[in-house]
Amino acid sequence: MTEPGTAETQDLPAIAERGAAAAPAASRRTSLLVTLVLGGLTAVPPLSMDMYLPALPQVTAALHSPAATVQLTLTTCLAGMALGQMIVGPMSDKWGRRRPLLAGMVVYILATALCAIATSAELLIAFRLLQGLAGAAGIVIARAMVRDLYDGVAMARFFSTLMLISGVAPVVAPLIGGQILRLTDWRGVFVVLTAVGVALTLLVWRKLDETLPPARRHSGGLGQTLRTMRDLLADRVFSGYVLVGAFAFAALFAYISASPFVIQEIYGASPQTFSLLFGINSVGLVTVGQINGKLLVGRVGLDKVLGTGLALTALAATSLLLMSAGVFGPVGLVPMAAGLFVLMASMGLVMPSTNTLALLRTPHAAGSASALLGTSTFLLGSVASPLVGIAGERTAVPMALVQLSCAVLALVSFLGMCRPWQRRGESNGSTAGERTRL
């Protein structure tokens, strides 16, 4: 079988020349406003999650539900985003990007409005599932649109740009959520999210053109979709990058779902202090992502960048587990916050690199490939959420243990399946200079 893509023996610098040549054409087709809209679409998940995080303890009290049940509102939203991407991604390969995107955004608005009027934890969980299903359209189609427009180095740099834009969301979302809670209750958070959905949908309708021409669309039905998915997963290297991204995101989501209770309940911080710390960590992620895009891409092989990011994630998770288990004696908020900062900042190296390396292999099925990338990350993230609360709300050990387990599994997937050193050795068509840069 011919494996998807042409990147079996190439790392990113080996196609730098082609990517650089493609970048000007892509730039002509991509205005600043369109770039902002695509960034906004990728920001839908962090907006839906992070603006709501400071309100989790309040929701627990207001709906008279245990913390583990309220955390399921995060889990179901993530699960919905995972399933929704598997539906919307192949649809966008068949019908183009705009129509599925607009339909998904309209349903997202309705589901978010329903969350604002939920009267029980069970209803909120159901509405969050619908919100996730619909919100999946934004992130999966935005990623596919980037693949439509860019290649090589240009694609890696654009993913880093999207991280800068979408990274603003986790910086400001908890801050906004904390301020909303000063003015109203947790329902006001969903009212604001509904307004954000309306504004973004109008921008998509008015400003975002179709990026997949009819000649490049798939005409098959469910059978072809399943065959495409099978062929993508049969590519060992692509599947390896999918698993790397999924386990790395699960480590990140273990922090996202547990940190409101760890920071506020265990260390006694206020919702505003938690929001500030969360914002600082998000700034770290964005900053490292920009260093990656501006300084490393085109100079250092993406597999090397990815390996470095995974190593930093594992080191940060190890330190967090040791501190949480009391190996160093009682520790305060500052050392824990420092460990969480390093873990989150390392994602600025891991996420853009993983997306680029995976999508470079799949130019013929960007929507389906994007769906597999997104579905795997959200599914594993949804599993991580209940695991971090398994020992109650008075210890951070479960969070750190889940983070370390996921970091190790990501490293194992990278070394065991992606095997970048082996692909460099097979790179017979590369020039000596390109092999040196790898």
Side-chain angles (χ1 to χ4, degrees), residues 61-86:
L63 298 181
H64 308 290
S65 297
T69 300
V70 173
Q71 282 180 325
L72 286 176
T73 63
L74 296 175
T75 302
T76 53
C77 187
L78 270 183
M81 287 182 179
L83 178 60
Q85 289 184 71
M86 291 296 290

Side-chain angles (χ1 to χ4, degrees), residues 158-200:
F158 195 84
F159 272 127
S160 292
T161 300
L162 286 190
M163 178 165 284
L164 173 62
I165 300 169
S166 61
V168 173
V171 173
V172 303
L175 296 173
I176 295 173
Q179 296 308 311
I180 290 172
L181 295 179
R182 287 179 174 269
L183 303 174
T184 181
D185 62 6
W186 61 272
R187 299 180 189 276
V189 174
F190 289 106
V191 173
V192 173
L193 283 172
T194 302
V196 170
V198 170
L200 192 55

Side-chain angles (χ1 to χ4, degrees), residues 93 105 115 118 160 174 190 193 195 208 216 218 260 297 335 389 427:
D93 283 339
M105 292 304 297
C115 289
S160 292
F190 289 106
L193 283 172
L208 197 59
R216 292 173 51 199
H218 294 177
V297 169
S427 191

Side-chain angles (χ1 to χ4, degrees), residues 239-432:
S239 295
Y241 288 126
V242 168
L243 289 175
V244 169
F247 284 123
F249 183 82
L252 177 63
F253 195 72
Y255 158 69
I256 291 174
S257 58
S259 60
F261 298 98
V262 170
I263 301 300
Q264 296 180 78
E265 302 296 332
I266 297 177
Y267 290 97
S270 67
Q272 290 70 38
T273 300
F274 162 73
S275 299
L276 178 61
L277 290 174
F278 196 94
I280 291 172
N281 291 345
S282 299
V283 168
L285 185 151
V286 171
T287 301
V288 173
Q290 293 315 293
I291 292 172
N292 179 33
K294 303 294 185 183
L295 300 179
L296 301 182
V297 169
R299 296 180 177 89
V300 181
L302 273 194
D303 279 311
K304 293 180 180 178
V305 173
L306 177 56
T308 301
L310 292 173
L312 287 173
T313 303
L315 287 173
T318 300
S319 68
L320 287 168
L321 180 59
L322 293 175
M323 287 188 289
S324 301
V327 172
F328 304 122
V331 297
L333 177 59
V334 173
M336 287 294 294
L340 292 171
F341 176 86
V342 174
L343 184 140
M344 195 162 180
S346 67
M347 296 299 161
L349 300 177
V350 173
M351 294 304 182
S353 304
T354 303
N355 287 336
T356 302
L357 287 164
L359 290 175
L360 276 173
R361 305 180 64 82
T362 59
H364 61 293
S368 296
S370 178
L372 287 171
L373 281 166
T375 296
S376 61
T377 58
F378 285 114
L379 277 178
L380 284 181
S382 67
V383 172
S385 178
L387 290 178
V388 298
I390 199 169
E393 305 170 27
R394 298 301 175 186
T395 174
V397 169
M399 176 191 73
L401 186 60
V402 170
Q403 288 169 335
L404 181 57
S405 300
C406 291
V408 170
L409 288 170
L411 272 170
V412 169
S413 299
F414 178 62
L415 297 175
M417 298 179 69
C418 302
R419 303 176 191 172
W421 66 89
Q422 185 180 80
R423 302 203 313 281
R424 288 199 297 271
E426 295 170 356
S427 191
N428 298 324
S430 300
T431 67

Side-chain angles (χ1 to χ4, degrees), residues 95-117:
W95 293 321
R97 312 301 187 199
R98 266 180 59 87
R99 285 187 291 171
L101 176 57
L102 285 169
M105 292 304 297
V106 169
V107 178
Y108 173 85
I109 292 168
L110 295 174
T112 307
L114 288 172
C115 289
I117 60 174

